[in-house]
Amino acid sequence: MLTNSVNNWRRTKYSREVKPEISGEEVTVMGWAHEIRDLGGIIFVLLRDRDGIIQITAPSKKIDKDLFENLRKIRKESVIAVKGIVQNSPKAPGGVEVIPHSLAVLNEYKQPLPLDPTEKVRAEIDTRLDSRFLDLRKPAVNAIFKIKSRMLHSIRLFLEENEFLEINTPKLVASATEGGTELFPITYFEREAFLGQSPQLYKQIMMSAGFDRVYEIAPIFRAEEHDTLRHLNEVISIDIEASYMNHEDVMDILEKLVVQAIKDVRKNCSAQLDVLGHELEIPATPFERIRYEDMIDLVNSEGVSLDYGEDMSRAAEKAMGEIMGGYYFIIDWPSSIKPFYVMPDEKNPEKSFSFDLMYRDLEISSGAMRVHKHDLLVDRIKKQGLNVDSFEKYLASFEYGMPPHAGWGLGAERFNMSLTGVNNIRETVLFPRDRRRLTP
Ligand code: AMO
């Protein structure tokens, strides 16, 4: 029964498509043998594919003797194809089963499995990540990636509808953008280079190039020392930049995009949300906008010490998460703790035209109106102790007609955490990269 190729076998239906309405029809289903129950006179095989499980029911009296014996020999997690007739069965999962007339075993498995995809034995995250291909077979794990796929699809659709052009910028770069300490140095022939921390400088250059509205969905690399549930060393950043807009305009875009993605996921991924047991609520708009200085007062009133000019500590994030619940913005950050490209408020340069979008205690996005005047930008680079020479090519684009502009970066994984309710960022990446993990 073991065949070496798919020969003339082709899937005609996914498990989710085998419904009582097609009772009597012949189908070909393909996937893994999830469970085999041999009751002597009848064998049940639960066949699992990408979308779910379908029951194959083989009563010895009704099917060919050889086929019955071959079904009996199937081992869990073998790759199988079954041809048969759909039949209503109130007792079967989904109210339907397939009575087989042919079977092909397409591949077998090595014993023992390093991980049980049926989740009978719960494994630690490290064991799961070591055998990620098996871990990803679990419905509650692959649901996260179906939601991520839909989320990215919805974001692309929204940005395209709003006249943003998708761009691709280099990931091998010569200098830092977000501060020097989080860079991964690499050897670039005879020179030193770095993995890109953010497309920041390139998306701004594209404003001078006249592209007006751009977006990029691509990996960013951060040499974060942290070993936390919210940080990874490689993540996907969803970045936008738009000319003739200020920070408030791009906050509105971000808010609309977030709500549209939530609605889209609710509508198209209800089965996955059910598997995850996560109730996804549509947030009310506009999201609350809390000034940085009011955030300080709020966390202080919760007994968390934080002074003006300090970045949010973990304790401050947690306190805000308790107070605020869903999505909210923190605005008007001090210029001193925001990157050099962030525009200071003209009336009070201590403050900047910047924002972070939070989901409970998690920062999911940050953005700002940018400095578009060359001399002010040089000044800001110097004030932050950075080397002006290493920004030469970027700075040149500000000398020949750079429009005012604004933008943001949204962390795909952190946004996905808010959509799926998982609390470890590693769950939202197929093959996560953290301080200790570089394989698989
Ligand atoms: P920032 O550094 O705040 O801003 O990054 C933007 C968003 O990217 C996500 N993120 C991360 N997620 C997980 N692990 C990490 N190590 C990590 N680092 C960043 C977060 C964060 O809110 N250039 C600016 C954006 C802009 O102003 O346009 C920037 O990179 O969700």
Side-chain angles (χ1 to χ4, degrees):
M1 259 298 110
L2 184 63
T3 66
N4 283 328
S5 93
V6 285
N7 296 331
N8 57 355
W9 288 80
R10 293 293 177 275
R11 168 188 283 127
T12 61
K13 293 271 186 267
Y14 277 107
S15 61
R16 74 177 143 77
E17 297 172 305
V18 182
K19 295 207 165 124
E21 294 88 285
I22 62 161
S23 181
E25 224 178 79
E26 185 187 79
V27 294
T28 304
V29 287
M30 294 178 161
W32 291 267
H34 185 70
E35 285 254 31
I36 297 108
R37 271 181 239 139
D38 186 346
L39 307 183
I42 187 162
I43 298 172
F44 297 103
V45 179
L46 297 184
L47 182 151
R48 187 189 71 241
D49 62 18
R50 194 180 79 171
D51 291 335
I53 286 175
I54 179 76
Q55 179 172 298
I56 313 296
T57 305
S60 64
K61 288 195 187 120
K62 279 199 190 165
I63 69 165
D64 177 81
K65 216 166 142 212
D66 286 348
L67 174 61
F68 191 78
E69 283 314 308
N70 286 329
L71 282 162
R72 175 165 278 160
K73 282 187 223 141
I74 296 176
R75 293 288 160 257
K76 235 168 104 164
E77 293 306 310
S78 299
V79 184
I80 59 172
V82 174
K83 267 194 225 284
I85 305 295
V86 178
Q87 179 175 292
N88 286 348
S89 166
K91 282 194 208 139
V96 73
E97 63 193 2
V98 173
I99 310 295
H101 58 68
S102 329
L103 164 75
V105 177
L106 302 171
N107 216 339
E108 291 181 312
Y109 75 105
K110 190 174 142 185
Q111 224 180 348
L113 290 170
L115 193 79
D116 178 12
T118 54
E119 273 272 69
K120 293 224 167 96
V121 190
R122 282 192 76 81
E124 293 299 319
I125 183 92
D126 266 325
T127 315
R128 290 176 41 207
L129 292 175
D130 282 340
S131 298
R132 191 61 157 161
F133 63 97
L134 283 174
D135 186 48
L136 287 162
R137 288 184 192 173
K138 297 179 202 160
V141 178
N142 75 39
I144 296 167
F145 296 94
K146 285 180 187 151
I147 292 173
K148 196 173 183 183
S149 168
R150 190 71 213 182
M151 169 193 105
L152 291 173
H153 172 75
S154 163
I155 289 172
R156 277 208 169 81
L157 218 60
F158 175 89
L159 291 171
E160 297 282 342
E161 277 165 3
N162 284 278
E163 304 221 22
F164 283 81
L165 295 178
E166 182 160 14
I167 59 166
N168 305 104
T169 66
K171 304 303 153 211
L172 296 172
V173 298
S175 62
T177 55
E178 310 299 314
T181 53
E182 293 171 1
L183 278 172
F184 279 116
I186 53 162
T187 306
Y188 193 70
F189 303 107
E190 48 292 314
R191 276 183 288 169
E192 186 181 53
F194 305 96
L195 295 178
Q197 280 176 306
S198 159
Q200 184 64 37
L201 306 189
Y202 293 101
K203 59 180 184 166
Q204 288 191 261
I205 292 173
M206 294 314 290
M207 298 301 99
S208 179
F211 274 48
D212 245 63
R213 295 181 185 195
V214 298
Y215 74 99
E216 179 164 13
I217 299 178
I220 57 169
F221 304 91
R222 304 273 169 108
E224 305 264 8
E225 301 267 333
H226 312 76
D227 188 5
T228 78
L229 299 179
R230 307 172 311 285
H231 290 93
L232 285 176
N233 300 107
E234 177 179 353
V235 290
I236 298 295
S237 181
I238 301 150
D239 273 90
I240 74 154
E241 204 64 31
S243 288
Y244 312 106
M245 286 197 192
N246 68 12
H247 52 298
E248 284 168 0
D249 298 318
V250 292
M251 281 163 75
D252 287 344
I253 291 176
L254 180 55
E255 189 176 280
K256 289 200 178 89
L257 173 148
V258 163
V259 172
Q260 178 159 312
I262 292 172
K263 284 186 178 161
D264 194 337
V265 165
R266 258 178 69 115
K267 187 166 160 223
N268 292 291
C269 302
S270 57
Q272 286 72 31
L273 290 167
D274 283 350
V275 169
L276 291 167
H278 184 57
E279 209 155 302
L280 186 57
E281 281 171 24
I282 299 170
T285 51
F287 298 162
E288 261 194 79
R289 280 129 166 96
I290 294 167
R291 289 183 309 159
Y292 169 87
E293 55 204 71
D294 296 333
M295 177 274 290
I296 300 266
D297 289 344
L298 280 170
V299 303
N300 287 348
S301 71
E302 292 291 303
V304 174
S305 105
L306 191 73
D307 290 329
Y308 190 91
E310 279 184 312
D311 209 346
M312 273 178 103
S313 59
R314 185 65 195 133
E317 286 178 342
K318 281 193 167 154
M320 283 304 284
E322 292 287 321
I323 300 166
M324 296 302 302
Y327 297 90
Y328 60 98
F329 285 106
I330 300 177
I331 58 169
D332 296 353
W333 289 75
S335 295
S336 56
I337 51 170
K338 281 288 169 189
F340 65 85
Y341 50 77
V342 169
M343 178 75 106
D345 182 342
E346 263 168 316
K347 290 193 204 113
N348 176 8
E350 298 274 286
K351 274 193 343 193
S352 65
F353 289 141
S354 59
F355 59 87
D356 279 4
L357 176 63
M358 307 288 294
Y359 173 72
R360 299 184 179 159
D361 61 355
L362 187 66
E363 176 210 311
I364 65 168
S365 172
S366 63
M369 166 123 206
R370 320 300 190 183
V371 176
H372 63 284
K373 296 280 169 61
H374 176 269
D375 294 354
L376 179 56
L377 196 53
V378 172
D379 204 44
R380 294 267 304 149
I381 292 174
K382 283 187 187 152
K383 275 211 181 101
Q384 298 223 346
L386 298 165
N387 179 2
V388 177
D389 294 343
S390 58
F391 294 98
E392 187 195 344
K393 298 281 191 293
Y394 164 71
L395 284 169
S397 71
F398 288 76
E399 288 191 289
Y400 305 96
M402 172 64 93
H405 58 279
W408 43 252
L410 168 67
E413 286 72 21
R414 290 193 182 176
F415 185 34
N416 191 239
M417 287 169 80
S418 81
L419 298 181
T420 56
V422 301
N423 69 0
N424 186 343
I425 194 167
R426 287 161 188 78
E427 300 276 4
T428 69
V429 176
L430 293 173
F431 304 105
R433 293 290 175 260
D434 65 24
R435 187 77 200 266
R436 290 167 296 117
R437 183 172 289 278
L438 204 49
T439 56

